[in-house]
């Protein structure tokens, strides 16, 4: 019973905020434009600040388990290969193959993953989850553009690698993490007085630190509310089998392989309870919301991609509950 309560308490706050966003859109007469602008504010301001704040909490880079991070990033191409294999076997339409492959490897780490990792592991898990986000998002984006261009015929086809790299460099989330890493490096290398850093934001600019902390604390709730408001549930009978396939790849098969592999390699990875929440969030989160937009831009099947986002977001509440309950019962959470 304690295991089920733990899993419920980890997932329920996220679900409630998503439902609140959906309720506000449906019942409170708030426009989609309002939520789109709020979502843009979250993406460009709140989430970068949250990532900066989480990275800023790193006292030393020796605290970060780089082996687990390397393992997580190495699993991305494995997920891509699994998606490509599933697409080859089960999907005939070329414009749907890229959408399925993207759904297999590209999780909603920024909006769903971070809050989940924090819910499961607190501030300690937030640090490694933030680093994983900063590395994972560029890999997700670059991989998605290359794969979708290979299967699509949209205007992005001619944009080339330069546009991809510029997009990564200008990404607000990457900027937030980069600035956080810079502050940690400055704090680490500046000469110290009596064993303490000469200058820190927390000690020397407490008003700025408090403002950053306050913005960071509201980032996840607002992002989840926006996610709920953006969901438009629909059902297309002709796509049902492919939706089941895509959702299963994203929420069951990839998390099972990634988390089981990490547990089997726990000694080699030096895996601790601080990293497990990151792995659950990184591989168990639903399909990234922005994935449908990229499918459209590259000439793929946007309707299929959109339904993968919607139904993976809905069913992730059940699959995450199951994953968390199993890991808790086995003593890994």
């Amino acid at each position: 019973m304690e295991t089920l309560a733990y899993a419920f308490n980890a997932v329920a706050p996220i679900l409630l905020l998503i439902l609140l966003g959906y309720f506000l859109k449906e019942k409170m007469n708030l426009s989609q434009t309002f939520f789109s602008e709020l979502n843009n504010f979250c993406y460009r301001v709140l989430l970068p600040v949250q990532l900066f704040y989480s990275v800023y909490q790193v006292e030393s880079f020796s605290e970060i388990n780089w082996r687990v991070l390397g393992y997580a990033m190495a699993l991305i191409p494995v997920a891509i290969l699994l998606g490509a294999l599933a697409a080859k076997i089960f999907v005939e339409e070329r414009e749907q193959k890229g959408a399925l492959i993207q759904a297999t490897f590209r999780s909603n780490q920024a909006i769903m993953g971070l809050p989940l990792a924090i819910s499961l592991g607190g501030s300690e898990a937030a640090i490694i989850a933030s680093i994983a986000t900063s590395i994972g998002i560029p890999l997700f984006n670059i991989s998605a553009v290359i794969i979708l261009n290979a299967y699509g015929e949209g205007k992005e086809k001619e944009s080339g690698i330069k546009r991809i790299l510029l997009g990564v460099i200008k990404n607000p989330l990457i900027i937030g993490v980069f600035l956080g890493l810079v502050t940690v490096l400055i704090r680490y290398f500046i000469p110290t007085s009596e064993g303490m850093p000469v200058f820190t934001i927390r000690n020397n600019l407490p008003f700025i630190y408090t403002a950053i902390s306050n913005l960071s604390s509201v980032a996840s709730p607002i992002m989840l509310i926006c996610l709920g408001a953006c969901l438009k549930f629909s059902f297309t009978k002709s796509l049902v089998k492919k939706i089941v396939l895509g959702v299963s790849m994203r929420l069951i098969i990839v998390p099972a392989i990634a988390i089981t592999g990490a547990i089997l390699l726990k000694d080699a990875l030096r895996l601790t309870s601080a990293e497990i929440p990151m792995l659950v969030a990184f591989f168990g989160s639903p399909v990234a919301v922005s994935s449908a937009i990229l499918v459209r831009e590259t000439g793929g099947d946007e309707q299929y991609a959109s339904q993968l986002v919607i139904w993976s977001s809905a069913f992730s509440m059940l699959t995450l509950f199951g994953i968390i309950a199993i890991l808790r019962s086995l003593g890994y959470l």
Side-chain angles (χ1 to χ4, degrees), residues 11 112 247 251 284-286 311-321:
V11 173
M112 282 279 290
V247 171
L251 300 181
S285 298
W311 293 108
S312 66
S313 297
F315 283 105
S316 67
M317 295 297 102
L318 296 176
T319 55
L320 286 170
F321 179 88

Side-chain angles (χ1 to χ4, degrees), residues 23 32 35 111 157 171 173 177 188 201 204 207 238 316:
F23 173 82
Q32 191 64 47
F35 283 108
I111 297 176
K157 192 83 175 177
N171 189 299
L173 311 186
V177 173
Y188 187 78
I201 297 175
N204 300 93
F207 60 96
S238 62
S316 67

Side-chain angles (χ1 to χ4, degrees), residues 212-278:
I212 292 173
S213 176
N214 290 340
L215 286 172
S216 174
S217 65
V218 301
S220 292
I222 295 179
M223 285 187 298
L224 291 171
I225 290 172
C226 287
L227 174 61
C230 291
L231 294 180
K232 297 178 181 179
F233 289 97
S234 60
F235 188 76
T236 304
K237 290 184 179 180
S238 62
L239 292 175
V240 62
K241 292 182 179 179
K242 294 171 185 176
I243 292 172
V244 171
L245 173 63
V247 171
S248 298
M249 293 293 291
R250 174 66 260 151
L251 300 181
I252 299 175
I253 296 174
V254 169
I257 292 173
I259 297 172
T260 302
I263 291 173
L264 292 175
L265 297 171
K266 63 179 181 180
D267 291 335
L269 296 176
R270 298 176 184 171
L271 186 68
T272 69
S273 58
E275 289 91 40
I276 292 288
M278 181 274 288

Side-chain angles (χ1 to χ4, degrees), residues 17-18 20-42 222-231:
L17 288 170
I18 293 174
L20 174 60
Y22 188 77
F23 173 82
L24 289 174
K25 182 193 69 174
E26 295 293 323
K27 303 298 183 182
M28 299 298 289
N29 221 18
L30 295 175
S31 69
Q32 191 64 47
T33 301
F34 167 78
F35 283 108
S36 296
E37 292 176 350
L38 185 59
N39 188 65
N40 188 50
F41 173 70
C42 290
I222 295 179
M223 285 187 298
L224 291 171
I225 290 172
C226 287
L227 174 61
C230 291
L231 294 180

Side-chain angles (χ1 to χ4, degrees), residues 42-96:
C42 290
Y43 180 74
R44 296 188 178 279
V45 179
L46 294 184
L47 187 51
V49 169
Q50 183 186 53
L51 290 169
F52 171 88
Y53 181 76
S54 296
V55 174
Y56 182 81
Q57 305 308 309
V58 176
E59 294 296 332
S60 170
F61 288 111
S62 62
E63 295 178 358
I64 300 171
N65 190 335
W66 296 104
R67 296 189 183 192
V68 173
L69 281 173
Y71 170 81
M73 299 311 127
L75 261 289
I76 294 177
V78 173
I80 292 173
L81 290 175
L82 287 173
L85 180 62
K88 183 177 180 61
I89 296 173
F90 298 108
V91 179
E92 294 181 1
E93 296 80 358
R94 182 178 179 83
E95 65 271 15
Q96 294 177 351

Side-chain angles (χ1 to χ4, degrees), residues 289-310:
V289 175
S290 59
S291 63
I293 299 172
L294 189 54
V295 168
R296 180 191 66 206
E297 292 295 316
T298 51
D301 190 332
E302 184 186 5
Q303 184 184 42
Y304 179 43
S306 297
Q307 294 214 358
L308 287 175
V309 171
I310 292 166

